[in-house]
Amino acid sequence: MNFENKCTIDRRTNAIIGLVVFLSVFIIYYITKPVSLSFWDCGEYIACSSILGVPHPPGNPFYILLGKFFTLLPIGLSHAQAVSLLSIFFSCFASLFVYLSIVKLVAIWEAKQFYAYLAGVFGALFIAFSQEFWLNAIEAEVYGGLSFFIALVIWLTLIWTEKQKNFNHQNILLLIVYLFFLGFSVHQTTLQIAPAVLLIVVLPLLKFDKNFYKKLAIFVVIGLALYYIFYLIGTGFGQGSLGKYIFALFVIGVLIYYLRDYVQPQVWFFALLMVILGLSTHLILPIRAAADPFINEGDPSTLQRFMDYVFRKQYGPTSFTIRRAPIFMQLDFHFLRYFSWQFFDAQVISNFLNVSRQFIHTIFQFIVVALGLTGFYYQFKKSKRSFIYLASFFIMASIAMILVMNLSSAEVRDRPYFFITAYMLWTFWMGIGVMGIVKYFRNETNILKISVRLRVIIPTFCRKGKPNFYYSVILLFISIVTLFYILSVRFNDPFNLPSYYISPAMLIYSCLGLFASIGLSYPRKVAKVISTAFVLLFILLVALNTYSHYHKNDRSQELLSLEYGTNFLNGLDKNAIIFTNGDNDTFPLWYAQAVYDPNAEEYFLEEDTLLFGEIKGFSISDKEEIPKRTQIKLNEAYLAKKDLGGIRKDVSVANLSLLNTPWYIKQLRDFEGIEINLSDKQIDALHPIQLANEANFRVEDIKLTFPKDKQLFVKDQMVLQIIKDNYGKRPIYFAVTVADRVDFDKNLQSEGMADRLVSTKAKYQINAPRLNHNIENVFDYNSIYNEDLYKDENMKRLINNYGADFMRMSTTFYQNEDYENAVKYLKKAMDFVHEKDRYLPSLANLYYEMGLYDSALSVIEPLVQKSPEDPQLVYLEIEFLVKNEDIVTALTTLEDFIMKHTDQQYFLNRYLNIIRSNPDYAERAVGYMDELVKQNPKNKSFQQFKIQIEDINKK
């Protein structure tokens, strides 16, 4: 295998083009960066960067350290924007190294520098403005850093292959080892391409003979056996990752043995030193954990907790040998489905062109796959060595990652970020595909070959092998006219055969004829024009890909997540305890408390505005009644939080999923002012229990009875303990996002985004004055009302909670027969809900109660047109028509529905009642019943109804 490159890249030109790529990407990213935090992990990472906290395992310590550094820079950005800027730099450099790596790969076989630059630029821009890469680039997330380290390692690996002779330049390999483990401190999947790097490094030494394959098979069997054995051993004491590390040690041992003639012992020592240096940033975790920061997940302040933290013991053991879902499902539902989202947003393009979304999706997915496969084939044909390099990286980032990540069929969220490296490597082939197509059509010999073949297929446009320019001019005119016709029609009518099929066919046919006629005489000029046209076409594709994802990734006006957190906090009474559920109802609250954000406003309910003294079943009415011990605990919590820069630090947030862990329970007890009357020993001994007998729980006037065999997890036991020790001393709430309230549902009273624990017991309790005050005067909805801001499915789902609050107020007004306000609040509720049609029947009913029958009909009739078979909607429409004295339309609607649904006897009863109330229409009804009985002669009930209607008609 030849290890010499075909061309030497001009370093100055390459650097200038790389700089242009970097700056172009940076400008777009900076324009679209978030103004504050986003949902999911962003709030946690920003808060931990700001206060040097400890985020969820495995901690990402190097990212947190860099984030802290960026918050200290005097650049006039808030901490949220500063940490987002870190992600932007990571991703811009990742795009740069994608460009440089593609150039290196192409230079292995391509003699002309231009084509290497061309492939690099297009590959870099395709990935830079793909959906997930762009999103990771602008959010305070670790995946931009992951992409940066992987792209940098790939580039350095290619540098080493270019420079090495007889396995020298081992300093580059040591740098790669260091970067692997420094990247591991940003995200542990940085190591996903390590086997590919290893293959590339040892490739010059391999002899692919029978002995090689025999040894390889033996080592694979031994390695997998060691992995499985030590996985089982490690699982026994909670370290399921042990198998992975034994497998890695086995591979290292094999390498040391077979590379003994090439790598000196001191180099292995330095490699170990690089590993230690790369991992050294993890030392910040126990150091900061020992300082008890506001966010201290896992509390890795002891050696045992530190090991559990880094090895992710909290999430349970994982093994790629025990599949959590069928592998083909993981390939299709996760990997390929996420891949289809990355390039060319079909919905945006279809809206712009007014063309079927599925049609656009199919066309552009074909382009993405075709470009990648073209690059795949072209690289394989031109250079096996270059192909092996890229293919080995791609296999590890795709197939291997599918096996290792082992995603289930019921993940709590979509996880395309796990495969971002594979999608990045696919754009390597897309860029090479662009280069291959442009180069092919730039060759005049290829133009002649195509023209000769077209002359056979389309003989009309060539006579005796020579072009006919009269036909060419006519065809050019036809092509232009056809093109303008297509653009004017814009495929508005997919059933218009001439515009949808014939026009494109004419255009293609005329272009081919024109190509054949001119290409035979002017192949060089045609080659230049066609290749230039393809370059322009690919530039257009990059621009279209960027445009299609711009709106979705433009977070420059997003305050939705911040408002979500501040609305939760500001809607609570002072010194409240709130139980939350997961990431999106916890991290925004932590961020709002920990970080100064100029867009966050603090609100306390003033005691002199207490319309809300009427809160039923709650025992605290003023500060003086707070017990002394509780006040001491609150003072301790205040001292622990006094240096935080956020709002509402008086509130204690208790995350239910974390309440299953001893370290978190102790943190709430020691630093959040929550009374938990359990010792460390008692907390450590907590475990899930199943009740052997019926059990009663009581605190003041709150009584619960748990049945026999009821299972109580640690979090459930801690909810009971916290309520027992704090009720009547501090206000206690459950976030509306919490599904499992440990059977306290009937003791909860809605006040907005949280439900307060009270002693009164009833279904759907509402503290109407407090709820109304929160939704009207306290909560911010600026981002929700901002129609320019893209809202994904997660955001829409969370926004629904605001709609539920307005719906509760509407129900309250309705129960008090205040129909005007009931309508007003129901309409407001519909501003927040995604599926508005669900609430329109309620709105129509309110209009009906108010006697506004025309308004009721204006709401219900469009719904009936959408769902003409829905009996409830049809029945409502009939009732409104009758009240509006439109008897003819009501009868016609009923007659049509009964004729189609002969089993709906309830509608026949309603028909009979209308005729009884309006006997003038009895004769019409007799004729209708005759027809109905005629079509359904065996239906006895129809005959009975006919007799009754005939009696009415006689009277």
Side-chain angles (χ1 to χ4, degrees), residues 659-700:
L659 267 176
N660 284 307
T661 59
W663 56 264
Y664 184 66
I665 297 169
K666 295 171 187 176
Q667 286 179 15
L668 293 180
R669 182 194 64 186
D670 298 339
F671 304 108
E672 279 292 340
I674 298 178
E675 291 186 45
I676 299 176
N677 295 320
L678 295 175
S679 65
D680 286 358
K681 187 175 180 180
Q682 289 173 311
I683 292 172
D684 292 335
L686 289 170
H687 59 86
I689 60 174
Q690 189 168 8
L691 297 178
N693 300 294
E694 185 180 275
N696 295 313
F697 172 85
R698 179 168 183 171
V699 55
E700 295 194 11

Side-chain angles (χ1 to χ4, degrees), residues 80-146:
Q81 293 173 320
V83 181
S84 295
L85 185 63
L86 167 61
S87 293
I88 289 174
F89 272 110
F90 266 143
S91 297
C92 288
F93 277 110
S95 301
L96 171 63
F97 284 111
V98 166
Y99 161 77
L100 295 173
S101 298
I102 295 174
V103 169
K104 287 289 181 189
L105 285 168
V106 173
I108 291 174
W109 80 83
E110 178 55 53
K112 295 184 178 179
Q113 297 181 39
F114 167 77
Y115 292 111
Y117 302 145
L118 186 73
V121 168
F122 278 100
L125 294 182
F126 271 126
I127 189 58
F129 300 119
S130 62
Q131 171 56 35
E132 193 63 25
F133 194 93
W134 191 341
L135 182 63
N136 292 333
I138 59 174
E139 290 188 335
E141 261 286 7
V142 295
Y143 297 101
L146 168 68

Side-chain angles (χ1 to χ4, degrees), residues 579-599:
F579 292 109
T580 59
N581 188 53
D583 294 357
N584 286 329
D585 62 358
T586 302
F587 293 160
L589 278 66
W590 284 355
Y591 168 87
Q593 290 183 308
V595 182
Y596 168 73
D597 191 307
N599 298 291

Side-chain angles (χ1 to χ4, degrees), residues 35-39 555-561 783 789 795:
V35 67
S36 185
L37 79 155
S38 299
F39 281 113
R555 302 301 179 91
S556 58
Q557 301 179 58
E558 188 204 330
L559 290 170
L560 203 151
S561 182
S783 288
L789 176 66
M795 293 177 180

Side-chain angles (χ1 to χ4, degrees), residues 544-556:
L544 185 61
N545 181 52
T546 306
Y547 166 77
S548 71
H549 289 135
Y550 188 92
H551 175 62
K552 188 176 287 187
N553 289 302
D554 182 8
R555 302 301 179 91
S556 58

Side-chain angles (χ1 to χ4, degrees), residues 488-548:
S488 64
V489 174
R490 290 181 66 183
F491 301 106
N492 279 327
D493 182 5
F495 301 104
N496 184 337
L497 188 63
S499 69
Y500 204 70
Y501 296 107
I502 296 178
S503 296
M506 288 173 60
L507 180 63
I508 293 170
Y509 187 77
S510 21
C511 287
L512 291 175
L514 186 63
F515 185 93
S517 62
I518 299 177
L520 288 168
S521 283
Y522 307 104
R524 181 174 296 179
K525 291 183 179 179
V526 169
K528 188 175 182 179
V529 170
I530 294 296
S531 60
T532 303
F534 266 111
V535 171
L536 295 176
L537 173 64
F538 291 130
I539 291 173
L540 178 63
L541 285 176
V542 169
L544 185 61
N545 181 52
T546 306
Y547 166 77
S548 71

Side-chain angles (χ1 to χ4, degrees), residues 75-254:
I75 50 180
L77 296 178
S78 68
H79 284 195
Q81 293 173 320
V83 181
S84 295
L85 185 63
L86 167 61
S87 293
I88 289 174
F89 272 110
F90 266 143
S91 297
C92 288
F93 277 110
S95 301
L96 171 63
F97 284 111
V98 166
Y99 161 77
L100 295 173
S101 298
I102 295 174
V103 169
K104 287 289 181 189
L105 285 168
V106 173
I108 291 174
W109 80 83
E110 178 55 53
K112 295 184 178 179
Q113 297 181 39
F114 167 77
Y115 292 111
Y117 302 145
L118 186 73
V121 168
F122 278 100
L125 294 182
F126 271 126
I127 189 58
F129 300 119
S130 62
Q131 171 56 35
E132 193 63 25
F133 194 93
W134 191 341
L135 182 63
N136 292 333
I138 59 174
E139 290 188 335
E141 261 286 7
V142 295
Y143 297 101
L146 168 68
S147 298
F148 162 73
F149 277 101
I150 286 181
L152 176 57
V153 165
I154 290 173
W155 180 69
L156 285 172
T157 303
L158 297 174
I159 290 283
W160 181 81
T161 63
E162 184 179 276
K163 290 187 173 183
Q164 70 91 19
K165 302 290 182 184
N166 298 320
F167 221 78
N168 58 3
H169 288 282
Q170 292 175 10
N171 57 326
I172 298 177
L173 298 180
L174 290 174
L175 176 59
I176 289 172
V177 170
Y178 171 70
L179 290 173
F180 262 133
F181 287 92
L182 187 63
F184 183 89
S185 302
V186 171
H187 198 276
Q188 291 186 350
T189 58
T190 303
L191 296 176
Q192 64 186 279
I193 63 165
V197 173
L198 177 59
L199 171 65
I200 293 168
V201 167
V202 301
L203 189 62
L205 309 177
L206 298 180
K207 295 179 180 179
F208 296 96
D209 52 18
K210 290 183 179 180
N211 189 43
F212 167 79
Y213 291 111
K214 181 180 177 180
K215 288 182 179 179
L216 179 63
I218 292 172
F219 288 141
V220 168
V221 170
I222 294 173
L224 291 176
L226 286 171
Y227 166 82
Y228 190 67
I229 291 169
F230 281 94
Y231 165 75
L232 294 176
I233 293 172
T235 304
F237 56 90
Q239 297 294 346
S241 299
L242 181 63
K244 300 175 187 177
Y245 299 103
I246 295 298
F247 178 82
L249 290 174
F250 171 71
V251 172
I252 292 171
V254 172

